[in-house]
Structures are given as structure tokens and as C-alpha cells.
Amino acid sequence: MYDAIVVGARCAGSPLAMLLARQGHRVLVVDRASFPSDTVSTHYMHQAGVARLQSWGLLDELVAAGTPAARRMSYSHRGVAFSGFADPIDGVDAVYCPRRIVLDEILVNAARRAGAEVLESFTVSDLIWADGAVAGVRGRVGDGPETEFRAPIVIGADGAHSTVAKRVEAPLYNVRPAAGAAYYSYFEGVDSAGLQHHTGTNGRWAGAWPTNGGTLVSVMATKAQIKEFRQDVPGNFQSTVDAILPAIGGQLRDATRTDPFIAMRYPDNFYRQAFGPGWALVGDAGYHKDPLTGWGMSDSFIHAEQLAERVHEGLAGLRPMDEALAEFAKTRDEETAVMYDYTTTVAELGELPPFFQAVLEAVAATDAWTTTMLGWIAGGVDDDAIFSAEGLQALYDDAGLPEDRRVYDPTA
């Protein structure tokens, strides 16, 4: 009998298991993969996410694995451009974009060192129920015999297509259709000069950032363009980068591509009910959004930490488990609402609504507000610093934006 079972051992599951084990709980974490192994990912960790790694004592290990730091971001959306970097967050003055074959093994090993039991190559076939609540999991390692494990809480950290979420029939809400898809690969001989994040005028986007052993270059296209894009991925990839990031496009022609092109076809944006009797969801299993803003891994770290504290409170008898999990769900939804709106809006890769157009134009007008905006993107600046009535007033005043171009209503 375990205190908690975590299904999924990547960016949400292993940190959650590690933190619960550090609190003295007996934790089992299972994953259908074995480690080290790769997975489709943006690779991008914002400073707020990196700060979590630092606080857990894992950042030095990531750096020692040869993960390069980046300390400059260049951003543009259809002609509105700014560049710089956010102020340090909890002392973290850089971002890192690790290969997942590197990062996920670090996280899994950290969970093991903390005392969690990790079972790899384990596929969950079903959940165990008792008295109307989830009471464990049933599954097998490879082709082995079916095995059961029990715990008072089972946590799904198994991605957007979560088996746990499906078995408990966790309802979706605030669903917004996926805007498109991405292709990426890794290159030697490309210098991204930090983080490049640019939306063109043709319904496409291109970005580049340093990672282990080279540079990741990625492009995105809208749904309407994907069928055409797939007809010639190398050619369309090159032409997209040429049009949006011409300096990097030139480098690509002489660079060595070290891996095949990887397609990132993502599901719709959604929130899922975060908990129920004997179960909870974390990471993409409970909250998924377009990868354009690169918040998947950082949110997984932040929410794993928040959920670990709430589950500990329930297991330790400090408060009823359902009350603790309700607080987690409320906090998750409130703290992600503005970034969710921003992400799903800019991911359309089209003309921005008047509100976001006005905000970005004003931000680009001053270095101070550029730093503030990049700080918000990095997770170190509260929503209200920019998006409250007072914040918008100060932003527009400092930028000297004419009254007839000032927009205060986010729905405009």
C-alpha cells in the first residue's frame, strides 16, 4: 500500500513524486516509457520554471549536462518587435532549453533519490475503485502479468491524452481549438543569439534557441496550411525561416541537421477538472495550451510543487484531502487565466485583437516596459502589473500612446 501513486514520470510526475517522497510519503511513480528517452517538446523553460529546478537542487545537474544558458530574447508579432531579457527571478538570470532525453532522466533520478519507487515500462490498463473513489491502478510491465497497486490517491501526470483523466471521465472546460502545428529539428552550425520568437505575416511562426549539442529551430503553421506544409517539410521549413528569421535561414543552408524533422501536432487547448474522489491531475493532463509561449514544462513544475503541498496536507491529516485539492484547482485556474488567453490568442498567428495589439505596441516603445513584459512572459511579473486598469494606464502613458489607440477591454 502506497500513500500516493503518480502515473507519468516526466516534467510533472517526477517532481511531484520527488516532493512527496521528501515529505516522508511512500510514493510509486509509473511510466510506460523507460529512461532516458525522448518526447516531443518545446524544450523551453521560463525563468520561473528554472527557479523551481534551482530550489529543488537540480539546476547544477542540468548545467553540468551541457545545457547552454540563454540571456536574451528577441520577440516580434507581425511587425511589433522588442528584445531584451527579464530581471532575475529568485536569482535566476537565464533560461535553459534542455533536450528531454537529458532533463527527464534528471527528474526521474531525483525522484528515486528522494525515496520514490519508479516503475518504468509500466502501462496502466485501468484504475481500481472502492466505495466510489479511485483506490489504485492496474497494469503491467511490458508483456508481463497484470499487477495491482493501491493508494488513497492516484495522480495523473500522463499528458494531454491522460489515461487517468479518461478513466475518471474528468470533464473539460474553457476549450479552445488548436490553431495549428509545429515542426522542429536540431542543427549544428546555427547561432540563435539567444531566444528567437517571431510571428510572420503569412500565418507562420519561426523560433530558435540553444539546446544540448546544438540549436533547436522550429516553425509553426496554421491548420489551413498544414496539409500543404507536409508535402515538402524541408523546403517549407527553410522558406519559413528565410522569410521570418533571414539571418538564421542563411545559417541553416550550411548547417548540419542532426535529427529528422519532428512533428508536434497538439490537441485543443483545455482545462480539465483537477480532482475528484481519490484522484487528481497535474501538468498537461489537467491543463493544456498551445506550445507557442513555451509554458508547458514550467507550468508542470509549478503545479507539481503546488499539488505536492496540498496532497501532503491531505495525507498528513492537516486538512481534508478534498478541501486541499480544491484549493489547488482554484489556484491553478486563477494563476493561469491571463497567460491562457494570451497564448491562445497569439497562437492564431494572425492579426492581433485591438487589446493585445495596443499592449504590445506600447510595450515595444520603452525599454522599461519591454523588461516588464519579458518578466511577465518569464513568470516573474504579476498579471496586474500590466493588465490591470492601473497597469494599462501607466503603460500607455509611458509609451505616449494616443488616446484613440488605447484599449482597456481584453475582449475587444
Side-chain angles (χ1 to χ4, degrees):
M1 182 75 171
Y2 295 91
D3 296 322
I5 296 172
V6 181
V7 180
R10 293 193 185 269
C11 282
S14 280
L16 175 65
M18 175 192 70
L19 293 168
L20 286 173
R22 286 179 178 179
Q23 294 271 28
H25 300 294
R26 189 177 182 218
V27 184
L28 172 66
V29 55
V30 302
D31 199 295
R32 68 178 62 190
S34 60
F35 298 90
S37 61
D38 210 350
T39 190
V40 174
S41 174
T42 65
H43 300 58
Y44 193 100
M45 289 192 300
H46 289 281
Q47 283 163 268
V50 177
R52 305 278 46 77
L53 286 183
Q54 178 173 261
S55 72
W56 301 335
L58 303 180
L59 181 56
D60 288 347
E61 193 173 346
L62 188 72
V63 173
T67 311
R71 294 182 171 87
R72 184 167 185 82
M73 175 185 281
S74 298
Y75 179 100
S76 69
H77 190 99
R78 288 177 166 255
V80 180
F82 48 88
S83 63
F85 205 70
D87 290 333
I89 297 174
D90 295 335
V92 172
D93 66 350
V95 298
Y96 297 85
C97 308
R99 294 285 296 257
R100 294 295 296 272
I101 201 167
V102 173
L103 174 65
D104 292 357
E105 186 176 27
I106 290 172
L107 297 175
V108 169
N109 288 339
R112 283 196 178 98
R113 289 196 302 270
E117 183 178 340
V118 179
L119 191 55
E120 300 179 35
S121 304
F122 184 90
T123 300
V124 173
S125 58
D126 208 347
L127 302 179
I128 300 169
W129 294 80
D131 300 323
V134 175
V137 301
R138 183 180 294 114
R140 55 173 48 88
V141 174
D143 296 327
E146 191 167 71
T147 308
E148 292 185 355
F149 300 101
R150 293 178 178 264
I153 185 165
V154 172
I155 300 159
D158 48 343
H161 301 290
S162 168
T163 296
V164 175
K166 291 175 183 175
R167 293 294 186 270
V168 301
E169 299 181 348
L172 300 170
Y173 56 98
N174 199 0
V175 178
R176 303 179 188 180
Y183 282 87
Y184 67 86
S185 193
Y186 309 96
F187 298 84
E188 293 178 352
V190 172
D191 180 5
S192 64
L195 308 163
Q196 303 287 339
H197 190 294
H198 301 273
T199 302
T201 58
N202 58 349
R204 294 189 184 178
W205 170 96
W209 39 85
T211 187
N212 304 85
T215 297
L216 182 150
V217 183
S218 177
V219 304
M220 295 182 182
T222 60
K223 274 184 176 180
Q225 299 183 17
I226 290 301
K227 183 177 180 180
E228 175 190 352
F229 196 100
R230 285 200 301 259
Q231 303 307 308
D232 178 13
V233 172
N236 284 311
F237 192 97
Q238 180 71 57
S239 65
T240 299
V241 178
D242 283 343
I244 301 175
L245 291 172
I248 289 179
Q251 294 180 55
L252 281 184
R253 298 182 186 281
D254 298 320
T256 299
R257 177 162 55 87
T258 60
D259 292 66
F261 286 106
I262 300 167
M264 182 186 287
R265 300 182 182 93
Y266 30 93
D268 290 342
N269 307 277
F270 62 78
Y271 286 83
R272 274 197 183 108
Q273 181 176 318
F275 74 100
W279 61 271
L281 301 174
V282 70
D284 280 353
Y287 162 57
H288 170 78
K289 63 279 180 201
D290 192 287
L292 183 67
T293 52
W295 260 94
M297 292 198 295
S298 298
D299 271 338
S300 290
F301 292 166
I302 292 166
H303 296 156
E305 189 170 73
Q306 293 173 346
L307 181 58
E309 186 58 34
R310 302 290 82 77
V311 171
H312 167 68
E313 290 175 346
L315 292 174
L318 301 176
R319 64 196 294 197
M321 181 68 81
D322 59 349
E323 178 185 303
L325 295 179
E327 180 180 331
F328 164 73
K330 181 174 183 291
T331 299
R332 180 199 71 177
D333 288 9
E334 290 177 350
E335 291 184 349
T336 58
V338 176
M339 183 57 75
Y340 185 72
D341 286 345
Y342 180 74
T343 298
T344 55
T345 298
V346 297
E348 296 289 337
L349 303 181
E351 295 290 346
L352 290 173
F355 175 75
F356 284 117
Q357 183 70 31
V359 168
L360 291 185
E361 285 184 9
V363 162
T366 72
D367 290 343
W369 280 102
T370 290
T371 301
T372 299
M373 183 67 176
L374 292 173
W376 176 73
I377 291 172
V381 172
D382 291 339
D383 297 337
D384 285 351
I386 299 174
F387 297 104
S388 66
E390 295 79 8
L392 290 168
Q393 184 71 52
L395 167 63
Y396 294 150
D397 285 349
D398 291 348
L401 202 68
E403 288 291 338
D404 61 353
R405 290 169 54 199
R406 300 185 180 198
V407 184
Y408 294 88
D409 181 1
T411 64

